[in-house]
Amino acid sequence: MNNIAVVYQSHYGTTKKYAEWIAQALDADLLNRKKVSVSELSQYGMIIYGGGLYAGGLLGIDLVSKSKFKHLVVFTVGLADPKIMDYSDIMAKAFPNQAYQPDQVYHFRGGINYQKLSFLHRGLMTLLKKTVEKKSDSEISAEGKAILETYGKKIDFTYKEMISPLTSYVKEVLV
């Protein structure tokens, strides 16, 4: 397959891992979001953008959310289980303009290693944990439960098999 760019922005590596797997499976160009421009991306027939979920937002999404591409597929990587997490608010915030919506969106589970978190991120996670702990069990979201379950640990929920629906979709579209 040609003419596919897999663009990613990753703080700690799980989004990059998924991007590498996807690029390899589709024989696509792998591009770091920090090193590519919209004009460079406009040369591709399909853009697959991956970003980590942080503080209710999608890392680096402004690169692709304000421009129209022939085909745009987005994947997110976060700590919460995608089977029970509601991403509608995050995606609405990431793509506020109805004219620039992605063709498809996929959500993958990442991981966390508290030993490698920056001072700022470690502090934010501590604040989040304390906020979640103040809630009753019925008030705790899927994301909140993931924070409590993984706090202070090294956890990796990445699985290569998770990319199969995304790569199948891209192959169908580009055939």
Side-chain angles (χ1 to χ4, degrees):
M1 297 214 171
N2 295 328
N3 213 20
I4 304 171
V6 178
V7 184
Y8 70 93
Q9 186 165 346
S10 183
H11 272 311
Y12 298 105
T14 55
T15 303
K16 181 180 180 183
K17 186 189 295 189
Y18 280 114
E20 290 171 339
W21 288 337
I22 293 164
Q24 182 181 30
L26 297 172
D27 192 25
D29 291 343
L30 180 65
L31 306 169
N32 185 322
R33 186 256 183 253
K34 294 180 180 180
K35 298 178 182 176
V36 69
S37 68
V38 172
S39 62
E40 291 171 291
L41 294 181
S42 66
Q43 300 172 31
Y44 289 92
M46 165 93 47
I47 306 299
I48 301 169
Y49 184 84
L53 297 171
Y54 293 92
L58 184 53
L59 193 60
I61 196 65
D62 60 316
L63 178 70
V64 297
S65 67
K66 298 175 184 169
S67 300
K68 186 72 174 157
F69 298 99
K70 184 175 181 182
H71 295 286
L72 175 63
V73 173
V74 172
F75 70 92
T76 69
V77 180
L79 194 53
D81 185 347
K83 294 175 188 156
I84 58 174
M85 179 72 180
D86 179 6
Y87 296 95
S88 54
D89 289 343
I90 293 169
M91 296 313 297
K93 187 170 125 182
F95 290 92
N97 187 330
Q98 290 300 312
Y100 302 137
Q101 297 297 307
D103 301 337
Q104 289 287 323
V105 178
Y106 298 87
H107 304 289
F108 303 139
R109 199 162 189 196
I112 194 165
N113 181 348
Y114 277 81
Q115 300 301 315
K116 292 188 176 183
L117 292 182
S118 69
F119 178 77
L120 175 64
H121 287 158
R122 201 173 312 122
L124 289 172
M125 293 304 290
T126 300
L127 286 173
L128 281 171
K129 178 184 177 259
K130 288 179 180 182
T131 301
V132 171
E133 287 175 328
K134 292 177 183 177
K135 297 180 179 184
S136 69
D137 287 347
S138 63
E139 295 176 307
I140 299 175
S141 68
E143 187 176 26
K145 289 176 184 175
I147 289 167
L148 293 177
E149 291 168 4
T150 62
Y151 186 80
K153 300 176 184 173
K154 178 181 178 184
I155 305 287
D156 186 357
F157 295 112
T158 59
Y159 296 99
K160 191 173 185 178
E161 302 81 37
M162 297 300 297
I163 69 167
S164 292
L166 186 154
T167 57
S168 295
Y169 171 79
V170 171
K171 289 175 183 178
E172 287 174 21
V173 168
L174 296 180
V175 170

